[in-house]
Amino acid sequence: MSDLISALTGAGLSPVTDPDVLAAHSVDHAALVPPGRAAALVRARSTEEVSAAMQVAAEFGAPVVPQGARTGLAGAATAVDGAILLDVSGMDRILSIDPVNRLAVVQPGVLNAAITSAAGEHGLRYSPDPGSWQISTIGGNIATAAGGMCCVKYGTTPEYVLGLEVVLASGEVMRCGRETAKGVAGYDLVRLFCGSEGTLGIITEATVKLSPVPAGRLTLAAVFATTADAGRAVTAIIAAGAQPSLLELIDNVHLKALEALRPMGLPTEAAAMLLVAADANPAEELTAIEALCEASGATEVYRATDAEEADALLESRRSAYHAMEKLGTVLVDDIAVPRSRLAEALDGVQAAAAKHGVVIGVIAHAGDGNLHPNIIVHPEDPASLEAGRAAFDEILEMALAMGGTITGEHGVGMLKRDWLAKEVDPVNLAVQRRIKSALDPLGILNPGKVLAG
């Protein structure tokens, strides 16, 4: 161990070995994913330092866990035994904004919201907006292929990444992608690294697409007596060809938790509330969506009277996870099902909660069929843990049985690595292992994440 630390120091790095500092940097936001004991923390400030760290790691066969803001919910940034925790959050410069070509070149530690703030001076924005957009980094967003609340209309992170600079397991630096609107030269290596969770390389620079800021946005909230009615409203909205810019579902458990966290008059008696926004021809779009909600059984529909009220509703939705933390430890699930089976999936989650006697609240990017069943457990109580994990597994089984996926946007990490083989076929899994082996023959990049064994 001392030789590794000496080598890192000799490479011009400043490894931190203080046990308290290492412990603080050894976990992300994934509950119930126990960390290993890291050897050192390296705070990289440049691509050259990332490369130097990887060269030392390769020499010693030491595992490397890339980290940013550590806001992930699947354990991808969790420490493993003997690891170098390679923190790139300090690489936080916006290198350029190009309003003509509508792109930004950024380092991996730039916060998601900071890109939109800088682009806003040119009437542009970076569209993907995960709930953690004000605290999560673009490098982490790309590494996990993050989604967000506007994905129903604008798509997810990989659709906005044009080019990458990546440090490989050997320490070699590679650039892939382009700055042009079109480009199909060779394999799409950019997409390969999107969602790879730091297991194939470390992102040190990204070129991302920017989009014009919509001229205006209107928001409505529709209240439902049952979650199934809310699910049917979502299906009706999508089937009608509507294009809301946001279509979110908040169930009763979350409504109560959010109101307790920050009182704002949410309908805590409702089984579910749909939060809908439109930004193309918003008045006309919301009129049509309102009619569809009422036809699906909405008991009340109200529109935000101004931008401040609309932003308050949206901020409330972003606070859902933190509100649930007040009830206990949150075991976050992240399934996606075909939109046509959303109502069925909501019923299935309620059934799992009743069967196992646990509190489960559902927050959902409903327009994408992406549900976040948040399971409340109490780690000091073995029975609570067992029940929570049983409900977690049952929900994953349900998603796969519906033709869905075990993760819509949070990634596999450590939390779901044993489930990947249940979703993909054996040949698919073997190809993934061969790709990993080709790019990381020593198996030092974020080992134990995504692929089991």
Side-chain angles (χ1 to χ4, degrees):
M1 190 74 72
S2 60
D3 289 345
L4 173 64
I5 304 305
S6 296
L8 289 169
T9 303
L13 304 169
S14 300
V16 178
T17 57
D18 181 279
D20 292 335
V21 175
L22 291 181
H25 281 77
S26 289
V27 294
D28 60 13
H29 285 192
L32 309 181
V33 177
R37 295 187 63 181
L41 167 69
V42 172
R43 295 186 174 99
R45 300 291 178 179
S46 67
T47 300
E48 291 73 22
E49 289 189 354
V50 174
S51 176
M54 288 309 308
Q55 289 178 51
V56 171
E59 178 185 349
F60 284 83
V64 175
V65 178
Q67 295 184 331
R70 293 180 289 110
T71 59
L73 292 163
T78 299
V80 299
D81 287 341
I84 300 169
L85 304 178
L86 189 49
D87 180 0
V88 298
S89 62
M91 297 173 64
D92 58 359
R93 290 191 300 132
I94 296 176
L95 301 175
S96 65
I97 300 285
D98 183 341
V100 175
N101 293 303
R102 293 182 179 175
L103 56 83
V105 181
V106 299
Q107 291 185 312
V110 174
L111 297 183
N112 181 299
I115 302 175
T116 284
S117 178
E121 298 177 13
H122 305 280
L124 301 170
R125 68 173 183 177
Y126 176 67
S127 294
D129 64 334
S132 59
W133 75 311
Q134 292 182 322
I135 58 173
S136 63
T137 62
I138 189 64
N141 291 170
I142 295 169
T144 57
M149 286 181 274
C150 291
C151 294
V152 64
K153 182 172 183 178
Y154 293 105
T156 59
T157 298
E159 296 166 68
Y160 289 81
V161 183
L162 289 172
L164 293 173
E165 178 184 81
V166 180
V167 175
L168 302 178
S170 61
E172 295 172 287
V173 180
M174 179 188 75
R175 301 189 74 91
C176 55
R178 63 191 194 280
E179 293 188 358
T180 55
K182 293 180 178 179
V184 293
Y187 300 125
D188 190 348
L189 298 183
V190 171
R191 280 293 185 113
L192 178 63
F193 287 101
C194 290
S196 65
E197 302 184 46
T199 62
L200 301 179
I202 300 173
I203 296 164
T204 51
E205 184 182 293
T207 301
V208 298
K209 288 193 294 186
L210 303 175
S211 306
V213 176
R217 186 185 73 188
L218 293 177
T219 304
L220 68 77
V223 177
F224 295 86
T226 71
T227 52
D229 285 346
R232 281 187 283 273
V234 171
T235 302
I237 291 167
I238 298 300
Q243 275 206 311
S245 58
L246 178 143
L247 181 49
E248 298 287 298
L249 181 143
I250 307 172
D251 79 345
N252 178 262
V253 175
H254 280 90
L255 287 170
K256 289 178 177 177
L258 286 165
E259 189 66 14
L261 178 71
R262 188 181 299 113
M264 58 178 296
L266 294 173
T268 55
E269 75 291 344
M273 182 175 77
L274 285 184
L275 186 59
V276 190
D279 62 10
N281 186 359
E284 183 178 324
E285 289 178 296
L286 285 192
T287 296
I289 289 172
E290 181 175 348
L292 291 167
C293 287
E294 290 174 339
S296 299
T299 57
E300 289 183 83
V301 180
Y302 24 15
R303 298 195 190 189
T305 56
D306 53 35
E308 184 176 344
E309 186 177 356
D311 288 343
L313 282 170
L314 184 57
E315 188 56 38
S316 180
R317 163 61 184 87
R318 291 190 188 278
S319 301
Y321 175 80
H322 302 295
M324 291 293 285
E325 285 184 307
K326 301 295 184 182
L327 304 181
T329 297
V330 186
L331 180 56
V332 181
D333 218 333
D334 166 42
I335 60 169
V337 299
R339 294 185 183 99
S340 58
R341 305 193 72 172
L342 179 65
E344 185 182 350
L346 290 167
D347 286 343
V349 173
Q350 288 187 333
K355 176 181 175 181
H356 298 285
V358 293
V359 173
I360 305 179
V362 177
I363 203 90
H365 305 307
D368 299 322
N370 185 190
L371 290 75
H372 298 310
N374 290 327
I375 304 167
I376 300 301
V377 297
H378 303 282
E380 71 283 357
D381 179 359
S384 171
L385 276 177
E386 183 180 358
R389 285 179 169 138
F392 182 87
D393 289 349
E394 187 168 313
I395 291 168
L396 293 179
E397 291 280 12
M398 176 193 70
L400 292 178
M402 290 182 176
T405 178
I406 58 171
T407 173
E409 60 182 8
H410 293 166
V412 175
M414 292 179 69
L415 189 64
K416 295 181 177 179
R417 64 185 177 187
D418 294 329
W419 280 87
L420 184 60
K422 297 183 180 182
E423 176 167 334
V424 304
D425 65 61
V427 176
N428 179 318
L429 192 62
V431 168
Q432 295 197 42
R433 292 189 184 282
R434 289 200 290 269
I435 292 171
K436 167 69 171 172
S437 180
L439 290 176
D440 182 18
L442 298 177
I444 60 174
L445 270 172
N446 222 5
K449 316 297 173 66
V450 184
L451 296 169

